[in-house]
Structure formats: C-alpha cells, structure tokens
Amino acid sequence: MGKPSKTKTTPIPKVAAGLGSLKSVAYHIWEETYVGRGVKTLFKLNQPRGFDCPSCAWPDPDAKDVSKIGEYCENGAKAVAWEATNRKAGPDFFKQYSVAELFEKSDHWLEKQGRLTHPMVLQKGDSHYRPISWEEAFDLLARQLNGLDHPDQALFYTSGRTSNEAAFLYQCFVRQFGTNNLPDCSNMCHEASGKALKETVGIGKASVTLEDIPKAELLMIIGQNPGTNAPRMLTSLQQLKKNGGKIIAVNPLPEAGFMGFRHPQKPWEWIGKGTPIQDLYLQVAINGDLPLLKALLKILLEEDEDAHGQLLDHDFIAQNTEGFPELKQHLKALSLDDLITASGVSEEKLREAAWMIRDRKKVIIAWAMGVTQHRNAEDTIREIVNLLLVKGAIGIPGAGTLPVRGHSNVQGDRTMGICEKMPKAFLDKLGEVFSFEPPRKPGVGAVGAVQAMLKGEAKVFFGMGGNFAMAAPDTSKVFEALRSCELTAYVSTKLNRGHLVHGKTALILPCLGRTERDETENGAQFVSTEDTAGRIRMSQGDLPPASEHLKSEVAIVCSVAKTTLGSKSSTDWQALGANYDLVRQKIEAVIPGFENYNGRVRIPGGFYLPNCAREGRFETDSGKAKITVNPLPQRDSNAGEFVLMTVRSHDQFNTTVYGLNDRYRNISNTREVVMMHETDIEKIGAQPGDKVRITSYFKNEQRILENFKAVSYDIAPGCVAVYFPEGNVLVALDNKSGESHCPASKYVDVTIEKMG
Ligand SMILES: Nc1nc2c(c(=O)[nH]1)N[C@H]1C(S)=C(S)[C@@H](COP(=O)(O)OP(=O)(O)OC[C@H]3O[C@@H](n4cnc5c(=O)[nH]c(N)nc54)[C@H](O)[C@@H]3O)O[C@H]1N2
Ligand SMILES: Nc1nc2c(c(=O)[nH]1)N[C@H]1C(S)=C(S)[C@@H](COP(=O)(O)OP(=O)(O)OC[C@H]3O[C@@H](n4cnc5c(=O)[nH]c(N)nc54)[C@H](O)[C@@H]3O)O[C@H]1N2
Ligand SMILES: [Mo]
C-alpha cells in the first residue's frame, strides 16, 4: 500500500427543487420538444381534466387545491417531455441500424432516438427490424400463441404505466387464453408491502390519504428518496412541517430532498435555505432497519412499563390487535446493545427517535425500495406495522401506513387483476361476468418468469410496456432467458434493450402515450388510474399522437384477444375497444369498490376505493390486526466485506436514463460510479476517482462489474451504492425475499478492489 491517501468527500446539495429544478425542466422540454408541445402539455398535467402524470404514483391534490398550471415537479416534467418528444424512430431508422449495431448503443442513446411510430417485426434470422401491418402482427402473435403446447408456455409481463382499462382487459384476455402467468414490475417493487400489510392489517395498500399527511405529528421515512422519486411528496412534507409536525429520515444516504426544499412553483422560495425537511436523520446500515425498529420498540416498551402503561395505546392493543404479549416477550429477550450495533445508528440518536415517537400519537411511516428490496423485506414491514399498532396509530386521521408506490399506475394494475395469483373470489367473479372458466393454477412472477424461460418451460414473452431485460435482476441470465424464446413482443412507446435482446422472432407494437389523444369511432376516450393512496382518477391526453399508426394499449389488447381467442371467446372485444365506458362497466361488475365507476370517475378529483385499515377495521382471518414476532436477519458467513445497494439517480425513470448527472448527489457526467465511505476507499488502498472492480457473491456464484469509479460519499461505512439498472449484473436471480420473491437489489454482498 502507498502512503495514506487524502480523500475528498463529495458534498451533497443541502436543498432540493427550487431554481435548479426549473432550469432542468426547461432544458428537457427544449431538448425534446423545442418548447411548444412540451409547455402546452405541462399545463394539462395533473389537472382535474388533464392526464395523470406518467412519472410516479404520488397522489394529486384535490381539484380545489390545484393551481391553474396543475401540479408538477421536475421529474414529472421530464417524463412528459420524454414522451412528448418530436424525435421519431420509424422504419428509416430501423433500416439504417441493424439489431446488432443498436445493441452496442447505450440505453440512454436508444431511448433518445424518440417515439416508435410503426409496428415492426424481426423475422427469424433477419438482421434488421422491418415494418409490418397491424393485421399481420396480430396474426403472427396469434399463430405463435396458439401453436404452444400449453398456455403456460407464454408469459405476459406488465409495467406499471398501463391504465386500469387496458390492464383489466389484458388480464382478462390472458386468463381466457388459459394462464395466470402475469408477472409485473410490482414483483420487483412493492410486492412485499402488499403481502405483509394484507396479512397484518387486512389490506395491502396505504392506509393514509394525501389529506392525512399535513395532519401527522410525526412522519418516519424509511428507505425512500422522495426528492428524486416522488418530488411532489415534498409539498406534503412541507405542509406537515408548517403545522408543527416532525420528520425522521432513515437512510444509509443523507438524501438532498430531506435537507431542504424550495417549492418549484413558488418563486418566493427559490432563494434561501428552503424548508428544512428532516428533524432527525438516522444513518442506518443497509438492511439495519429491522434491528433499528426492534430497538425503538424495545425502548418504547421499557419506558411504557416505567410509566405504568401510560405511553402506549393499551386500549387499542386490547381491542384491535393480537400478538402483543409475544412481541413483548421476544423484545425482552433481545439485547439492546446488539440491536443498536446491527442498526449502525448510535444509541443517542436511537433514543432521540424513540422519544419523538413516544411523545406523539399521530404517526405515519412511509417506505419504499430501501425496505422492500431485501431478503427479509416482509419481516421489516411487519415490524413497521408493530410500531404503528402499539401506538394505536392506524385507522385514525393523520396516522398509518404509507408504502409509496413507484409507477404511476402500478397499484391500479394490481387492483385490476395483474397478478400471478389473484384470490379465488376475483377469479370466480371474472369467470362469471365473462362466461369462462379461469385457470386456477398460480402463474409465475418476475423471477419465476426468468427461471421458466431458462428451463425452456416458457417460449413466448409478451411485454405490456416496461423494459424487462434491464429491470429484472441478473442481467446475463435474463438475456439468456429472453434469447431462448420463440417470440418476444412488446407494446412500447420507445426503443429499449428489450427489443434488442430478442427471441427467434420479435415484434414491436407501438402505442399511444398518456399525453396523447385517444379517439375511436365513438369519439374521444379517457382512461383511469389509481394512486398510492387508493384514489381513482380519470386521465385524458390532449396531444396529437406521435404517429398516425399508433394504437392505444386498450385497442392493442382487444385486437390481440380477438385474433388469438377467435370463437373460443364470447367477449365482444371490438365493442370494448371502441368504448371505454363499457370496459369500466365490466370492471364495476367484477371488482368491489367500483360502484357507479363511469359516474364517479368523471367527478373532478375522482373517488377513493374502500380501505378497511383506514376505517379502523382489520379484515384479517381473525378480524384483528396482527402484532408479529419477526426474526432478525442473519449475515452470510461467506459474505464479502461490503453490502451494495442499487439506487436511482435524479436523472432517470427506472431503466430510462434522461441524462448522466445526479444533481442531488453532486455526481456528474457518468453513471459508472460506486459511492463509498472515505474510510472504505482507504481500506481498499484506493483514492477517490480510482477505477475499481466489484465482485458480488451469492451462494457459490460470483458476478463482476469492472471499471467503476470510486466516489467518496457520506454513506454508512461498510455500505456502497451503484446505480440501477447498471448494478443488475451483480444481483443474483435467487437473491430475493423469502416470501414474495422480490429481488434483493438493495442487498448484494460484494468485495471491491482497485484495478491495476
Ligand atoms: N424520477 C423518478 N421517479 C420515480 C422513479 C424513477 O426512477 N425516477 N421510479 C419509480 C418507481 S417504479 C419506484 S418503485 C419509486 C422508487 O423510489 P425509491 O424507493 O425512493 O427509489 P430508490 O432510488 O431505489 O431509493 C431507495 C432509497 O432507499 C435507500 N436505501 C437503500 N437500502 C436501504 C436500506 O437497507 N435501508 C434504508 N432505510 N434505506 C435504504 C437508498 O439510499 C435510497 O434513498 O420511484 C418511482 N418514481
Ligand atoms: N437493481 C435494481 N433493479 C430494479 C430496481 C432497483 O431499484 N434496483 N427497481 C425495480 C422496480 S421498483 C421496478 S418498478 C422495475 C421497473 O421495471 P419496468 O417497469 O419494466 O421498467 P421501466 O424502465 O419503467 O420501463 C420503461 C419502458 O416502458 C415503455 N413505456 C413507457 N411509457 C409507456 C406507456 O405509456 N405504455 C407502454 N406500453 N410502454 C411504455 C418504454 O418503452 C420504456 O422503454 O425495475 C425493478 N428493477
Ligand atoms: Mo417500482
């Protein structure tokens, strides 16, 4: 080793949004649309009569609270500019570049080529995609699907932008075709939240609405980066702060969004420090959340005993829950010191957090991927529920669970039946309304889909949106899996790697985006979505379609269904595809909570679906909320010396990379970096800026990522971070949560060495 290195830690901006956001928005709109189209569209964003923002699932404010220019944020505006772009990738483009040439380009470059304009086909052995008519495309698809030995040999993936109407018809088609193979992005996202919440409080969704947040006295944000991934949440947090509420952030990274916020639509806030968001920051070790929550509970229980039961809500516990005595016993047996060490947070800070919780009744806990993408995700989420239940902080205004969903309609897709194992009641009703016998054997989720392709059990991969090739874990295995298919087909708005890592035959079916007008022979149609708080709202685009050859997702599903199922289906697919009110009538007939769907969806602001936990009822098997005992995670004995997480930069939407800067982390011009604590960089004998090799370990397998630049960063020691999707090459397919099989893309054991 050379002489001790002097490291420089990357300074993190102390404030989010503000003028920087506006500059960035202006740049992206200019870049993509040369102003006119982009600005006009922004005015329609999240308006009661506009379209739902295609970026995140954060709820829109009530109609009365929306300003004339709607509500948007920097990243919502980027998503709109990205879709409303004037650039096009049509037949000439595909003639110019072979698939092999396109494969060599970066993901950023691929999407940058603009909107897909024509249906395209890559025939067996061809080097280039060629245009194909819609009729021929549907026939080809139907031939392939009907030629399979069994419907389970087909996989039907969904990404979370698909509207309720398209998603409902899609799953109905897939089940009439004869399979439950409906993997979706939720399998890699909030699957664990749905499972753990359903089991403990009776509903797998948030129990709070947007209106609850400013009413909370304390909000804990665990494993979420709202400044980047749900920027409009900062407006709610700012309101909470103005009302005297407190915020605790639990994160291995001190994210800029927690430090200060300047509202991008309130110019008087553009200068100055902005509203400080977090009152207490707990720099937890990666996956130190479960011991941290247990330590908080242990301190609270001890203090409650000292105070003769005056601190916790024992009436609520007695009336509404079961399992409290077992939890008490379990926590008594654990050593506080051990829990504190495992959490990575100091005792002083932990006690401060416990006191903040102790002294407040209305507590909301929000979480996202930092909690769900772990092997023990369900355990951590159940522990979050424990904390809320002992406080009686659920089912009252200003308190409850807040899993913050990702994709703008990922929650709606689940409600519509996009799931490999829907409950019996749903399947019974679907069969009754559409006069068929739905398959009962559960299908495969995202990880199961890759395994099925690798084993040769699945031969057709159909993607309703998304970019499965890059989003799924274990990139080289996913590529191998997709390449083994007879057919890969995607309904897409833009070119991505999924179109280039293809089966023997491949199809691209280009669709309308959310910003665009959707007209059928019955006139202008609209769709609807469900936000993270369970509110259903209409969404209607206004822009002329990027190409006259585009079809809506609804129309594509109906044509695929009609051509593939033929006389086997008694459903009038053509009528449904031409009039979305008819689709909503069917949804109403199948799914509880959608009474008078067509009436209520037209009310500005939409309507909330019923939510038992919000109403203080716990629809579990016993009728009580469950306080649970969850085991502590064990670290593998052969694990590497660091734990790696994959995170999003400020300049991407999942696999869509808008640019190479991460403004909120002061990292620019590259994504090939690994964020490390300065002492860890020293430990491996490197200096900031040195190129390193990252090796991940899972069971007896190793995976390698090379030539990444070490960046000195204020991250919990022993923890390192790279960007998603680049980091997916390191995530083993079997590295997933025990119960819901969500890839543990925030927990990868690695070693890091300086490259020669
Ligand atoms: N602009 C933009 N918006 C988006 C997206 C996007 O890519 N771009 N994606 C959308 C989607 S699909 C989703 S699911 C959401 C994702 O939203 P987030 O969940 O905020 O996304 P990530 O970047 O994965 O960040 C996870 C956060 O968890 C922290 N973290 C990682 N491991 C741990 C841990 O073990 N414990 C704790 N306490 N924290 C941890 C990371 O430091 C990071 O701050 O955002 C949605 N919105
Ligand atoms: N390592 C690692 N892996 C992860 C994650 C992580 O944090 N780390 N996060 C996971 C999470 S939370 C998620 S949700 C998944 C995301 O997985 P996906 O949802 O599959 O990925 P996206 O990048 O959102 O999909 C982008 C593509 O969607 C298409 N698209 C965009 N808009 C539309 C539309 O309106 N209609 C249609 N039909 N297509 C459209 C475009 O062609 C675009 O290329 O990735 C997961 N993978
Ligand atoms: Mo997600």
Side-chain angles (χ1 to χ4, degrees), residues 8-14 663-667 712-713:
K8 205 171 130 259
T9 298
T10 306
I12 301 159
K14 296 265 185 289
R663 207 175 76 242
Y664 287 179
R665 298 199 184 105
N666 259 336
I667 293 173
S712 175
Y713 206 86

Side-chain angles (χ1 to χ4, degrees), residues 276 281 306 382 519 602 693:
Y281 169 53
D306 293 345
R382 282 189 289 259
E519 290 197 18
R602 287 178 160 86
R693 176 183 299 112

Side-chain angles (χ1 to χ4, degrees), residues 82-83 111 157 159-161 185 188-189 369 373 407 464-468 471 491-494 496 511-513 553 646 648 653-656 724 728 731 745-746:
W82 176 91
E83 184 177 295
E111 295 220 13
Y157 176 70
S159 164
R161 242 178 227 185
C185 70
M188 303 183 272
C189 185
M369 298 305 100
Q373 294 174 335
H407 262 298
M464 176 53 85
N467 183 5
F468 190 72
V491 178
S492 309
T493 49
K494 287 216 179 161
N496 64 44
C511 69
L512 293 172
E553 290 181 348
T646 55
R648 291 158 169 77
F653 189 92
N654 295 340
T655 68
T656 298
F724 147 62
N728 259 337
V731 186
S745 38
K746 298 285 187 274

Side-chain angles (χ1 to χ4, degrees), residues 121-177:
V121 66
L122 184 70
Q123 297 284 13
K124 212 175 270 185
D126 270 5
S127 58
H128 290 65
Y129 271 99
R130 281 188 281 125
I132 182 174
S133 73
W134 279 106
E135 287 67 33
E136 284 173 294
F138 294 137
D139 282 342
L140 190 159
L141 195 53
R143 268 201 314 278
Q144 292 269 0
L145 287 172
N146 291 325
L148 294 171
D149 299 331
H150 192 279
D152 284 342
Q153 289 181 328
L155 303 162
F156 297 91
Y157 176 70
T158 314
S159 164
R161 242 178 227 185
T162 302
S163 65
N164 283 355
E165 289 75 2
F168 180 79
L169 293 173
Y170 181 51
Q171 62 81 33
C172 185
F173 153 65
V174 170
R175 294 192 161 105
Q176 291 197 27
F177 175 65

Side-chain angles (χ1 to χ4, degrees), residues 632-680:
L632 282 163
Q634 301 297 326
R635 186 138 162 69
D636 275 1
S637 51
N638 64 345
E641 57 184 328
F642 301 112
V643 180
L644 172 141
M645 58 180 178
T646 55
V647 297
R648 291 158 169 77
S649 84
H650 194 62
D651 228 0
Q652 72 182 85
F653 189 92
N654 295 340
T655 68
T656 298
V657 176
Y658 300 128
L660 301 182
N661 297 327
D662 193 356
R663 207 175 76 242
Y664 287 179
R665 298 199 184 105
N666 259 336
I667 293 173
S668 43
N669 274 326
T670 175
R671 292 174 52 85
E672 296 186 345
V673 294
V674 50
M675 291 168 243
M676 298 178 74
H677 192 268
E678 57 178 337
T679 55
D680 289 332

Side-chain angles (χ1 to χ4, degrees), residues 725-739:
E726 290 83 347
N728 259 337
V729 299
L730 295 170
V731 186
L733 198 55
D734 287 322
N735 180 15
K736 56 187 169 58
S737 79
E739 297 174 37

